[in-house]
Amino acid sequence: MEIKKSGMIAIVGRPNVGKSTLTNALVGEKIAIVTNKPQTTRNRICAVLNRGECQFVFMDTPGLHRARTRLGDYMVKVVRDSVADVDAVMLLVEPIPHVGGPEEELIERIKALGVPSVLVINKIDTVKKDELLAVMQAYGEKHSFDAILPISAKNSEGLEDLLKVLGEFLPEGPQLFPEDMVTDQPERQVCAEIVREKLLLCLDKEIPHGTAVEVTRFIERDDEVIEMDATIYCEKDSHKGIIIGKGGAMLKKISTLARQDIERFMGTKVFLQTWVKVKENWRDNLNLIQNFGYRDE
């Protein structure tokens, strides 16, 4: 079917409300990494969905939080810039009948832009239906949203209704991305992010937040097997020891989990080798932040 409408839709909200889970559920593929830790997403990630005559380009953004490092400043800037030039905004919130500081700030930006806005109440599988009315009322008093929709991104509940509503906000025009494209991220970047997701899942406390991953070698062989080297950067020698683990056990676990997801994403067999290097305070070093792919573009 020919695409007749296409547009950009920003998904915004505080950390850990389920923006990446929703992005993946909407496009039906793992595009954005997902963990239960805040600030998992660092870059703006575009995910593309063709549905009937519509092409939706969803922009998954980092959670709006109080920045404590230069990397944090960059992430907050990404959120603010992402809302600046879109056709509609989805404000994703948890089913709590209170509008917090990050939500207040995002609502103010939505008002200033004057673009269509949808309040999406996620995680409805965690509350009783009648509790949602108080949430709708609290947000309804702050802004006149074009629509308010309860969903469960984890269970893919309410997504068809959401797409129906969003489709009405797409302007008429040709498709923005090719037919078979599901993300604007280079394959290397998706693979590096998958390794970082496993660090977040396997490691405790602050350590995984101080990590970055760079794919330093990516070779597609004639037999379609991909050879890949990934370097994990951390901020302290003590962190390096924890990431590698006793006898290399933790690094092996992280690498195995990452390889399995990368093979699913690439659709072929992957040989993955990982190394760990220390780069002290890289989150406050602008050159290193940019080297690891966090750039204003």
Side-chain angles (χ1 to χ4, degrees):
M1 191 179 283
E2 188 191 347
I3 301 293
K4 293 182 178 172
K5 295 168 80 179
S6 60
M8 313 280 280
I9 299 165
I11 306 175
V12 300
R14 68 166 65 215
N16 230 22
V17 291
K19 296 181 295 296
S20 297
T21 304
L22 176 58
T23 302
N24 292 339
L26 286 167
V27 299
E29 271 203 53
K30 183 164 191 159
I31 301 303
I33 65 171
V34 178
T35 76
N36 60 2
K37 293 188 170 83
Q39 295 160 45
T40 297
T41 302
R42 288 176 176 168
N43 265 328
R44 186 180 75 184
I45 295 164
C46 280
V48 185
L49 172 68
N50 292 335
R51 177 65 69 91
E53 297 180 340
C54 298
Q55 183 175 75
F56 301 88
V57 182
F58 297 105
M59 297 195 309
D60 178 20
T61 62
L64 187 60
H65 64 288
R66 188 174 289 113
R68 292 190 174 88
T69 62
R70 290 183 85 166
L71 175 64
D73 291 337
Y74 162 81
M75 287 158 65
V76 169
K77 186 176 185 297
V78 168
V79 182
R80 290 175 177 151
D81 290 353
S82 296
V83 184
D85 189 23
V86 292
D87 299 295
V89 177
M90 279 193 274
L91 174 59
L92 196 64
V93 302
E94 294 192 328
I96 299 166
H98 167 72
V99 182
E103 288 82 10
E104 295 256 15
E105 183 179 336
L106 288 165
I107 287 169
E108 287 310 308
R109 295 191 76 76
I110 290 167
K111 283 179 178 174
L113 285 168
V115 294
S117 58
V118 179
L119 178 71
V120 181
I121 305 169
N122 193 21
K123 306 185 184 179
I124 58 166
D125 47 305
T126 62
V127 294
K128 293 191 177 80
K129 291 277 193 286
D130 56 359
E131 292 174 49
L132 292 173
L133 290 172
V135 184
M136 293 176 179
Q137 191 175 344
Y139 279 92
E141 288 169 4
K142 297 286 180 182
H143 180 57
S144 180
F145 289 93
D146 292 270
I148 297 179
L149 290 166
I151 67 153
S152 168
K154 192 173 86 171
N155 299 336
S156 295
E157 188 182 337
L159 301 192
E160 286 301 324
D161 291 341
L162 179 58
L163 287 171
K164 208 171 179 178
V165 168
L166 294 173
E168 293 169 15
F169 303 137
L170 295 182
E172 289 189 11
Q175 61 191 57
L176 302 168
F177 289 95
E179 195 79 16
D180 57 351
M181 198 166 171
V182 290
T183 180
D184 66 340
Q185 291 187 99
E187 288 173 342
R188 274 175 176 244
Q189 191 177 337
V190 176
C191 294
E193 283 288 274
I194 288 171
V195 175
R196 193 168 68 81
E197 176 188 69
K198 304 315 172 192
L199 289 162
L200 284 159
L201 289 169
C202 294
L203 299 169
D204 286 334
K205 303 190 177 75
E206 181 59 20
I207 294 170
H209 289 298
T211 58
V213 179
E214 184 181 20
V215 172
T216 49
R217 194 171 75 103
F218 188 102
I219 295 170
E220 292 188 49
R221 298 192 329 210
D222 291 342
D223 59 0
E224 293 188 353
V225 172
I226 292 168
E227 292 183 18
M228 191 183 308
D229 293 355
T231 303
I232 297 163
Y233 296 94
C234 60
E235 294 185 311
K236 294 177 183 172
D237 278 319
S238 58
H239 292 178
K240 179 179 177 179
I242 292 166
I243 293 167
I244 293 170
K246 194 175 179 183
M250 180 55 78
L251 185 59
K252 188 178 179 185
K253 180 183 176 184
I254 289 162
S255 302
T256 302
L257 290 171
R259 179 184 54 75
Q260 290 166 350
D261 266 12
I262 290 168
E263 286 183 339
R264 272 193 285 273
F265 173 69
M266 298 299 297
T268 189
K269 193 166 174 54
V270 173
F271 284 123
L272 173 66
Q273 293 193 84
T274 48
W275 283 267
V276 186
K277 290 184 180 178
V278 178
K279 292 274 189 194
E280 287 187 17
N281 301 321
W282 71 264
R283 284 183 289 177
D284 277 314
N285 182 319
L286 208 54
N287 286 336
L288 287 176
I289 289 169
Q290 291 179 340
N291 283 350
F292 296 148
Y294 307 120
R295 299 167 179 273
D296 296 325
E297 277 163 353

